[in-house]
Amino acid sequence: MLPILRERGVVREDYEQNTLRGNLGLPFAENRYTRARREGVDPAPLPGTTASLSASV
């Protein structure tokens, strides 16, 4: 069914972004890991753990 709709031009084949959120123009929720990567710091470990995520990788 989808190939037929694509032939008729009803369904898009290419999108500007690679996520639904991006294609709908919605802002991305920032979590502590993306914030730490942007700021160039190591994120704080989760409560109850002794090592950060990057130390275990």
Side-chain angles (χ1 to χ4, degrees):
M1 184 71 153
L2 194 56
I4 295 170
L5 294 174
R6 283 185 176 151
E7 286 177 13
R8 294 179 183 175
V10 177
V11 177
R12 294 173 53 178
E13 294 184 27
D14 296 321
Y15 293 91
E16 292 80 29
Q17 301 292 320
N18 58 358
T19 64
L20 177 62
R21 184 175 290 278
N23 285 318
L24 294 176
L26 300 173
F28 286 90
E30 185 177 271
N31 63 35
R32 66 189 183 132
Y33 299 106
T34 56
R35 185 180 318 118
R37 189 175 336 141
R38 187 189 69 221
E39 295 172 357
V41 297
D42 193 26
L46 292 172
T49 62
T50 57
S52 68
L53 180 64
S54 62
S56 64
V57 176

